[in-house]
């Protein structure tokens, strides 16, 4: 079947369901067949396993799968960015633990939603609670419309985190337009295309595309060193560094305006240019000053003095 799909549709890889319920010998046999059949084509395989890091990582190796969904970051981040358990200090610790588990450079899949989870927007929009039965809601009173524009901001922050970390950013269809939904089958509604999108959906689609462009063109985002230079409960600032490329990323996961003063050794930098718009970061004689609106993130490329 795998060979048929590649030959017929020229696909680039597979998302493998319920990985841990299939014997290792099968994944090894499949990988061997793929390598033998397509010596000049790289077939990427990402798996889905719920469990601890040891179980998840046991399938990720040169003889089996390339990747698995990074659920341990996902479960922590979706509560944080949806506003149900905001704690950047806790999330940052989880990110560091995750890097210690999988390494500073890896192919684990960082996602905002999946086919058998309640869509993130339903949590962010406070239409479904984490202790609710998402499957029941899919058949009885499913969420179909986003009411709070801040929910789009929360989703964008979540995805901005994913493109700033090692691993592979994952977009489940509809996430790029802020689709809402309960659990299966409520998260498998018909795809909406350009002429069906409202203003907010068009806006976030453009912003998601912009983040994908940044990820593609700035190696520091995927393989750069990761440094936390500021954190409190509602906000954090990261530095990503790859040789002379330095990107500063700041998050404000609250409904309040934040001003962050950094005692960074900014003498090494001439200025900081936003990757998202035409703005520049404020420098004064003592600090770098970052102003963040509610539920806003910023990304700056730091110009190093020559």
């Amino acid at each position: 079947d795998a060979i048929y799909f590649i030959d017929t549709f020229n696909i680039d890889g597979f998302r493998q369901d319920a990985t841990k319920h299939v014997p290792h010998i099968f994944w090894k046999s499949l990988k061997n067949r793929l390598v033998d059949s397509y010596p000049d084509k790289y077939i990427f395989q990402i798996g889905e396993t719920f469990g601890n890091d040891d179980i998840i990582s046991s399938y990720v190796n040169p003889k089996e799968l390339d990747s698995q969904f990074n659920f341990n970051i996902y479960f922590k981040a979706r509560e944080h960015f949806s506003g149900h358990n905001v704690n950047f200090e806790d999330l940052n610790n989880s990110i560091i633990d995750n890097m210690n588990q999988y390494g500073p450079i890896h192919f684990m899949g960082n996602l905002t939603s999946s086919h058998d989870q309640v869509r993130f927007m339903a949590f962010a929009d406070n239409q479904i609670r984490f202790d609710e039965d998402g499957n029941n809601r899919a058949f009885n009173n499913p969420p179909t419309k986003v009411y709070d524009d801040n929910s789009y901001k929360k989703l964008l922050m979540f995805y901005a985190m994913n493109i700033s970390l090692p691993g592979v950013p994952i977009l489940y269809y509809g996430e790029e337009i802020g689709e809402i939904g309960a659990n299966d089958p409520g998260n498998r509604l018909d795809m909406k295309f350009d002429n069906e999108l409202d203003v907010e959906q068009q806006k976030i689609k453009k912003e998601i595309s912009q983040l994908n462009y940044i990820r593609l063109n700035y190696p520091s985002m995927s393989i750069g060193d990761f440094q936390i230079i500021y954190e409190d409960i509602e906000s954090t600032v990261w530095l990503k560094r790859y040789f002379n490329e330095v990107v500063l990323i700041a998050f404000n996961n609250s409904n309040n305006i934040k001003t962050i003063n950094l005692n960074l050794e900014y003498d090494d930098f001439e200025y900081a240019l936003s990757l998202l718009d035409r703005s520049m970061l404020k420098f004064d004689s003592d600090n770098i000053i970052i102003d963040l609106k509610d539920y806003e993130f910023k990304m700056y490329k730091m110009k190093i003095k020559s």
Side-chain angles (χ1 to χ4, degrees), residues 109-171:
N110 300 319
L111 63 159
T112 56
S113 290
S114 78
H115 71 289
D116 58 5
Q117 298 291 317
V118 172
R119 284 204 184 252
F120 172 78
M121 288 294 281
F123 295 129
D125 212 50
N126 291 310
Q127 295 195 45
I128 294 183
R129 302 187 313 274
F130 283 101
D131 61 355
E132 279 191 82
D133 184 341
N135 294 99
N136 181 62
R137 284 293 302 275
F139 293 95
N140 301 286
N141 190 29
T144 58
K145 177 180 174 60
V146 177
Y147 293 101
D148 187 351
D149 290 346
N150 284 332
S151 301
Y152 293 100
K153 297 179 184 178
K154 295 174 182 178
L155 175 62
L156 200 62
M157 277 197 301
F158 194 170
Y159 191 64
M161 181 201 77
N162 285 347
I163 68 116
S164 304
L165 296 177
V168 181
I170 302 292
L171 272 173

Side-chain angles (χ1 to χ4, degrees), residues 36-129:
D36 291 342
S37 300
Y38 307 99
D40 300 322
K41 184 178 174 69
Y42 179 54
I43 308 296
F44 184 79
Q45 295 190 88
I46 183 168
E48 180 213 34
T49 293
F50 291 98
N52 60 44
D53 285 324
D54 290 338
I55 293 175
I56 292 172
S57 59
S58 69
Y59 293 88
V60 181
N61 59 73
K63 293 184 177 181
E64 296 184 71
L65 304 181
D66 303 281
S67 170
Q68 292 225 63
F69 286 164
N70 203 351
F71 280 120
N72 289 344
I73 287 291
Y74 161 70
F75 287 129
K76 180 78 67 175
R78 73 175 185 178
E79 288 191 23
H80 173 79
F81 287 110
S82 66
H84 291 263
N85 187 17
V86 177
N87 190 330
F88 259 118
E89 295 172 349
D90 188 34
L91 179 61
N92 282 342
N93 287 334
S94 294
I95 290 171
I96 292 172
D97 289 343
N98 201 252
M99 289 182 184
N100 290 335
Q101 174 71 29
Y102 297 113
I105 301 174
H106 59 73
F107 284 151
M108 299 300 288
N110 300 319
L111 63 159
T112 56
S113 290
S114 78
H115 71 289
D116 58 5
Q117 298 291 317
V118 172
R119 284 204 184 252
F120 172 78
M121 288 294 281
F123 295 129
D125 212 50
N126 291 310
Q127 295 195 45
I128 294 183
R129 302 187 313 274

Side-chain angles (χ1 to χ4, degrees), residues 14 32 61-62 81 97 110 129 207 212 241 261 268 305:
F14 298 97
N32 286 336
N61 59 73
F81 287 110
D97 289 343
N110 300 319
R129 302 187 313 274
E207 291 167 328
N212 288 339
R241 186 188 296 266
N261 293 281
D268 292 335
K305 288 184 177 179

Side-chain angles (χ1 to χ4, degrees), residues 11 15 31 33 36 47 151 159 164 258 267 293 298:
I11 63 174
R15 173 247 179 230
K31 184 63 174 281
R33 180 71 182 276
D36 291 342
S151 301
Y159 191 64
S164 304
K258 283 267 189 179
D267 285 339
K293 299 176 183 177
K298 292 185 176 181

Side-chain angles (χ1 to χ4, degrees), residues 122-274:
F123 295 129
D125 212 50
N126 291 310
Q127 295 195 45
I128 294 183
R129 302 187 313 274
F130 283 101
D131 61 355
E132 279 191 82
D133 184 341
N135 294 99
N136 181 62
R137 284 293 302 275
F139 293 95
N140 301 286
N141 190 29
T144 58
K145 177 180 174 60
V146 177
Y147 293 101
D148 187 351
D149 290 346
N150 284 332
S151 301
Y152 293 100
K153 297 179 184 178
K154 295 174 182 178
L155 175 62
L156 200 62
M157 277 197 301
F158 194 170
Y159 191 64
M161 181 201 77
N162 285 347
I163 68 116
S164 304
L165 296 177
V168 181
I170 302 292
L171 272 173
Y172 179 53
Y173 90 97
E175 293 292 289
E176 73 281 3
I177 61 170
E179 182 67 271
I180 196 168
N183 211 328
D184 189 12
N187 55 13
R188 302 178 188 240
L189 303 179
D190 290 346
M191 181 66 183
K192 295 178 182 177
F193 296 94
D194 287 349
N195 62 338
E196 302 172 285
L197 306 183
D198 61 29
V199 173
E200 286 297 328
Q201 290 172 327
Q202 292 175 19
K203 181 174 180 288
I204 194 171
K205 183 182 178 184
K206 182 178 179 180
E207 291 167 328
I208 290 287
S209 295
Q210 184 182 28
L211 290 177
N212 288 339
Y213 176 86
I214 292 170
R215 171 73 176 206
L216 182 65
N217 287 278
Y218 290 88
S220 59
M221 305 300 280
S222 57
I223 59 176
D225 294 336
F226 175 83
Q227 181 183 1
I228 301 165
I229 59 175
Y230 176 86
E231 64 179 357
D232 60 33
I233 297 299
E234 297 177 333
S235 58
T236 193
V237 182
W238 301 339
L239 271 186
K240 298 299 300 291
R241 186 188 296 266
Y242 183 72
F243 292 95
N244 288 331
E245 180 186 293
V246 181
V247 175
L248 183 147
I249 308 156
F251 296 90
N252 174 24
N253 191 18
S254 76
N255 60 359
N256 300 310
I257 296 173
K258 283 267 189 179
T259 297
I260 299 175
N261 293 281
L262 297 175
N263 294 314
L264 192 65
E265 294 181 0
Y266 72 93
D267 285 339
D268 292 335
F269 305 109
E270 292 184 19
Y271 57 84
L273 184 65
S274 174

